[in-house]
Amino acid sequence: MGIKFIYSALMKQDGKDKVQFPHRHLLGIEGLSPEEISILLDRSETYVDQNRRADKTTPVLHGRTIINLFFEDSTRTRTSFELAGKRLGGDIINMSVDTSSVKKGETLTDTAMTLNAMHPDVLIVRHPHSGAVKLLSEKVNCAVINGGDGSHEHPTQALLDALTIRRRRGGLSGLLVAICGDILHSRVARSNIHLLNTMGARVRVIAPKTLLPPEIERMGVEVFHDMSAGLKDCDIVMMLRLQRERMNGNFLPSIREYFHFFGLDYKKLGHAKEDALIMHPGPMNRGVEIDTDVADDVGRSVIREQVEMGVAVRMAVLELLALGSIGGDG
Amino acid sequence: MAVKNEYPSGKVAYINARLLDPATGLDTPGGVLTEGEIIADVGAGLFKKKDAPKDAMVIDCGGKCLSPGLVDMRIEVGDLASTALAAVSGGVTSAVCLPNTEPVIDDMSVVEFVARRARKLGLAKVYPYGAVTKGLQGIELAELGLLAESGAVAFTDGIKAVADALVMRRALSYAATFGLMIVQHPEEPALAADGVMNAGEVATRLGLFGIPPEAEVILIERDVRLAEATGGRLHIAHISTAESLDAIRRAKDRGINVTCDTAPPYFALNEAAVGDYRTFAKLSPPLRTEEDRQAVVAGLTDGTIDAIASDHAPRDEESKRLPFEQAAPGGMGLSTLLAVSLELHHNGHLGLLDVLRLITSAPAGLMGLEAGALKKGAAADLVLFDPDEGWKVNADALGGKARNSPFDGRPVQGRVLRTVVDGRTVFEPEN
């Protein structure tokens, strides 16, 4: 238990230099260096180009087995990983685990050990509980990618957001980014806070007090409770999805009240920089956290571009971890 | 570990010991003579010239510390046999078990059953708490008077708070009729809700929901008021925050009849022990901040905290090898109670006798047990230990099925060399 393998994922880049990514798993953004994040983003760029061609495949993962293990409903992330795996020529299968059947007996570690016996090269895991993906990674011999664990981290989302911003703005350093909405429950927010801080951006969070976790400022963010003050001079506005069950009287009095104070409309957006980009990890609740016209504003909203970048980022992550996990390539 | 039963009715002379009796403040070279189940003689002059009675078995203590067996005022019992063994391996000769057993100790027959089973084992003496409310449901009062008559030493709903203010008021008031003590698990359940560790930066980073420190102090302040209003006898279990200590201090200053205890994790660890989702560090109440830990040490030093309990809570592998949110709270504590408590002495916060008092005569006094003192005529429950010998806590070697020690891997000082219950040596470490 707990034996730590550190492999170097050695990769030939355009047949020239070898690039190293010295982690066996991608469990979170916290702890990654700026160089390591840049390696992932640089590699993703090549796949953005490839994904725009008619022939979108390169068989770098030919013969490798990738399992998409989802303990929580997800269409977008699962599909994005599936497409990424297929475009790299890997054998990718989806496994949706009904959490109720897990409750009936088989524990997470049992599931991990069962799958491990099938010799996968990469496991992509999404789980409703924070830390569950890390626990699972300790029980298997293959690379593990965190596809989102509880309210903890969602590293590929932060990477695809970073790639989207970098392509639009040329870099991340020095940008002022506001993350708005349900920070309390958001793994997307946490991964983005880590990544943006690591890459030298300034991060603000804007939310009502009931949707902010305690001492969030110690993660290196400025806290605002007012959209007009928080959005002032921002380069990037990241909206977060608000889960239905948190809307009515629980954390918030009503959708109407939330949209009035925290929903992104043109009026509030007017406080940000004129060319500020609007982002959202999806799926959006139109009229709840974001006004529908703002979401569809082709000049400002990069929400669809984020989806495109997602496939490219996941290809890069799969490649680096899959080739690393057998230790012999490159 | 070896369990011996020797000289069940004979005399045993413990010679060449450093006698420590926190009840009287005695700290002197000397000896103890036990006869059958009781202490026949004790004192500084005893066996000075190795003049032990001819018919006694002689145990040379080699100058090590001989004190009353430890008294642990709060443990959870899973499997009674392995719990009792863990107790004596930690020098604990008397322990009071929470009523959250299966079945719940809310009925006279269960009180008698627990005491009888423990007596049969002949290891540590186990006394039961009775439930405050039937089935620990927090709604209807259990038969406190009858339970007390059958042997329940105090009353608590265990690791659940008596949450309803009216139920708590009536419990304190009714218990006062018979002079019984109510022990509260201080956590306002509505504020703890989905929390699994201390609220704050660490929980925020880990994406875990926190239990705010207010959840503890709010219930303490409420119950102090209720104790004052009813004249009831209130004891607050496992204090974990600085603010709780301030509340207790103020209540004591106002002359309210309230006492409290803490457990070793709260003065020896902080929330950083959770690290990367270590479920062995998931406790109830949760491990708090370093400032809170220091405040608990200060509370022990200045006497605000009346006793130390181990909070022993064995959990099987299956309930700990889970995602942090799903894992059961609780940690083992019997085997490490002495060594971790002695850190307070080694770090200069308390004298050796003061530390011992917190785990012998003080909890015995709170629980009304005839235990925790080296005196003629008392039960011969003793522990011989070396306060300085170092060892490393190894969860795999703590005995029993469970291994969930929050102190796993910790280097500690203070080793139990022999545990004596009713005159019989029931534990000696191997080699």
Side-chain angles (χ1 to χ4, degrees):
Chain A
M1 226 187 337
I3 302 165
K4 292 247 178 357
F5 300 85
I6 306 284
Y7 284 77
S8 297
L10 300 173
M11 185 190 71
K12 288 199 170 83
Q13 199 179 38
D14 306 328
K16 287 178 287 179
D17 303 43
K18 283 175 181 174
V19 177
Q20 294 201 330
F21 184 71
H23 299 280
R24 179 159 202 241
H25 307 299
L26 181 66
L27 300 177
I29 299 292
E30 188 172 19
L32 294 185
S33 69
E35 295 72 28
E36 289 160 3
I37 291 167
S38 295
I39 289 168
L40 289 167
L41 296 180
D42 292 346
R43 188 58 181 165
S44 304
E45 293 277 7
T46 67
Y47 287 118
V48 175
D49 298 336
Q50 179 180 313
N51 287 338
R52 288 177 177 175
R53 295 200 304 258
D55 179 1
K56 300 174 179 61
T57 59
T58 42
V60 292
L61 296 190
H62 177 77
R64 305 297 153 84
T65 303
I66 303 158
I67 301 178
N68 243 339
L69 177 62
F70 277 59
F71 292 88
E72 194 181 75
D73 285 344
S74 156
T75 313
R76 304 161 65 103
T77 306
R78 202 199 61 216
T79 310
S80 183
F81 270 113
E82 192 178 350
L83 211 49
K86 287 193 165 140
R87 287 183 180 169
L88 294 173
D91 297 316
I92 181 156
I93 60 154
N94 290 318
M95 241 189 96
S96 290
V97 186
D98 184 3
T99 32
S100 66
S101 77
V102 171
K103 271 183 201 146
K104 276 178 201 154
E106 196 178 56
T107 64
L108 180 64
T109 49
D110 289 337
T111 309
M113 288 191 279
T114 305
L115 291 176
N116 194 46
M118 300 176 191
H119 301 292
D121 298 281
V122 184
L123 274 177
I124 299 151
V125 188
R126 167 168 289 193
H127 198 281
H129 293 302
S130 301
V133 180
K134 159 132 200 324
L135 177 66
L136 190 142
S137 75
E138 289 164 359
K139 311 288 172 195
V140 297
N141 301 319
C142 63
V144 174
I145 298 172
N146 183 357
D149 65 323
S151 306
H152 177 224
E153 284 232 40
H154 190 357
T156 56
Q157 178 71 43
L159 288 164
L160 76 87
D161 288 342
L163 183 63
T164 308
I165 298 170
R166 205 176 76 163
R167 285 171 62 91
R168 286 285 189 142
R169 288 287 178 268
L172 294 158
S173 182
L175 293 178
L176 186 56
V177 183
I179 306 177
C180 317
D182 185 0
I183 311 287
L184 178 65
H185 298 92
S186 179
R187 53 195 174 214
V188 174
R190 286 176 179 75
S191 285
N192 265 311
I193 290 168
H194 290 306
L195 189 146
L196 292 165
N197 276 327
T198 305
M199 301 307 282
R202 280 170 58 204
V203 186
R204 292 176 173 178
V205 295
I206 313 173
K209 287 193 165 194
T210 48
L211 292 179
L212 283 167
E215 300 184 18
I216 182 75
E217 66 282 357
R218 298 179 73 158
M219 285 179 73
V221 299
E222 269 184 280
V223 179
F224 289 83
H225 308 298
D226 177 272
M227 287 287 272
S228 53
L231 289 180
K232 193 168 168 13
D233 300 327
C234 281
D235 298 286
I236 311 288
V237 182
M238 282 187 179
M239 301 308 297
L240 297 172
R241 179 180 165 78
L242 183 69
Q243 301 285 337
R244 289 253 157 218
E245 62 269 24
R246 293 170 189 141
M247 293 176 195
N248 299 314
N250 199 346
F251 288 86
L252 300 165
S254 71
I255 295 175
R256 184 169 72 175
E257 178 156 335
Y258 183 71
F259 184 73
H260 178 75
F261 291 103
F262 297 97
L264 188 67
D265 55 18
Y266 278 114
K267 186 159 175 268
K268 297 183 192 103
L269 186 59
H271 297 279
K273 277 194 184 153
E274 220 169 299
D275 61 348
L277 300 178
I278 299 156
M279 305 179 75
H280 192 296
M284 282 183 283
N285 292 305
R286 291 168 184 269
V288 177
E289 68 260 359
I290 190 163
D291 177 72
T292 204
D293 291 341
V294 172
D296 296 333
D297 186 332
V298 285
R300 311 288 295 274
S301 166
V302 291
I303 295 169
R304 267 164 290 179
E305 211 168 302
Q306 288 174 271
V307 178
E308 182 190 356
M309 295 306 123
V311 180
V313 156
R314 287 167 182 131
M315 288 169 82
V317 171
L318 278 172
E319 182 191 22
L320 280 164
L321 294 183
L323 297 186
S325 70
I326 57 160
D329 275 48
Chain B
M1 60 186 81
V3 176
K4 290 187 185 172
N5 289 292
E6 55 199 345
Y7 280 69
S9 57
K11 291 178 184 169
V12 184
Y14 298 84
I15 64 165
N16 189 23
R18 176 180 173 189
L19 293 182
L20 291 167
D21 184 19
T24 58
L26 180 79
D27 179 356
T28 175
V32 170
L33 179 69
T34 67
E35 192 170 345
E37 297 185 355
I38 63 159
I39 295 175
D41 205 354
V42 57
L46 207 56
F47 317 134
K48 238 184 194 160
K49 298 167 212 147
K50 305 214 169 186
D51 51 353
K54 292 261 180 323
D55 58 341
M57 175 183 158
V58 174
I59 292 171
D60 188 333
C61 297
K64 304 298 185 202
C65 298
L66 186 65
S67 83
L70 309 188
V71 178
D72 189 345
M73 64 179 286
R74 189 174 52 259
I75 64 168
E76 270 184 61
V77 167
D79 168 50
L80 189 60
S82 58
T83 304
L85 196 62
V88 294
S89 76
V92 174
T93 55
S94 297
V96 190
C97 87
L98 291 178
N100 59 345
T101 44
E102 186 64 50
V104 168
I105 308 178
D106 62 355
D107 187 86
M108 289 184 286
S109 60
V110 188
V111 171
E112 284 155 9
F113 177 72
V114 170
R116 195 168 58 239
R117 281 220 36 221
R119 269 200 305 278
K120 253 182 143 174
L121 285 167
L123 296 167
K125 296 164 183 172
V126 179
Y127 302 90
Y129 278 103
V132 176
T133 64
K134 284 175 189 156
L136 309 176
Q137 294 301 304
I139 302 164
E140 299 167 63
L141 291 183
E143 295 169 316
L144 307 187
L146 289 173
L147 288 166
E149 270 195 1
S150 339
V153 296
F155 294 84
T156 180
D157 273 359
I159 53 173
K160 277 170 80 178
V162 178
D164 186 289
L166 182 59
V167 173
M168 187 60 176
R169 183 190 174 101
R170 288 186 179 143
L172 282 163
S173 178
Y174 187 74
T177 314
F178 304 100
L180 305 173
M181 181 161 84
I182 303 288
V183 177
Q184 177 71 299
H185 170 68
E187 186 173 278
E188 166 53 51
L191 287 175
D194 300 324
V196 293
M197 69 172 293
N198 185 45
E201 186 190 354
V202 180
T204 291
R205 277 180 186 274
L206 292 173
L208 296 172
F209 287 93
I211 300 171
E214 308 86 78
E216 185 167 303
V217 71
I218 283 174
L219 211 61
I220 291 174
E221 287 182 331
R222 181 198 78 176
D223 289 349
V224 162
R225 298 277 167 189
L226 295 175
E228 189 176 20
T230 58
R233 176 72 181 86
L234 174 67
H235 178 89
I236 304 293
H238 38 223
I239 295 278
S240 73
T241 76
E243 288 176 19
S244 301
L245 281 159
D246 290 341
I248 300 272
R249 234 173 245 127
R250 283 196 304 273
K252 285 186 167 185
D253 287 347
R254 280 169 50 218
I256 298 164
N257 201 0
V258 59
T259 49
C260 69
D261 69 75
T262 192
Y266 307 110
F267 59 78
L269 297 172
N270 63 34
E271 61 183 348
V274 172
D276 233 350
Y277 304 101
R278 262 185 84 228
T279 57
F280 283 8
K282 182 175 179 178
L283 305 174
S284 176
L287 294 171
R288 302 286 187 183
T289 65
E290 175 57 16
E291 293 73 45
D292 288 314
R293 186 194 72 78
Q294 289 175 14
V296 172
V297 171
L300 287 161
T301 311
D302 71 14
T304 306
I305 298 174
D306 300 275
I308 296 171
S310 75
D311 259 6
H312 183 78
R315 300 283 180 254
D316 59 19
E317 194 94 7
E318 289 71 43
S319 57
K320 281 289 188 185
R321 207 202 289 156
L322 288 171
F324 196 87
E325 289 159 72
Q326 292 175 309
M332 294 175 78
L334 279 164
S335 320
T336 50
L337 175 64
L338 178 67
V340 179
S341 297
L342 282 174
E343 288 181 8
L344 295 164
H345 164 60
H346 294 302
N347 295 338
H349 298 296
L350 284 170
L352 183 55
L353 271 178
D354 297 323
V355 172
L356 274 180
R357 191 178 45 75
L358 289 163
I359 48 179
T360 54
S361 56
L366 288 169
M367 295 283 110
L369 303 178
E370 288 287 332
L374 281 185
K375 66 173 185 226
K376 241 188 229 184
D381 296 345
L382 308 168
V383 61
L384 178 68
F385 66 95
D386 179 338
D388 300 313
E389 190 182 329
W391 56 289
K392 194 168 179 179
V393 180
N394 175 1
D396 292 324
L398 294 180
K401 272 188 291 184
R403 49 186 301 280
N404 57 306
S405 170
F407 298 110
D408 190 19
R410 187 183 185 92
V412 291
Q413 270 180 283
R415 194 173 179 81
V416 174
L417 302 173
R418 179 185 291 266
T419 306
V420 178
V421 173
D422 288 337
R424 290 170 296 114
T425 292
V426 291
F427 172 80
E428 267 187 285
E430 277 165 11
N431 60 66

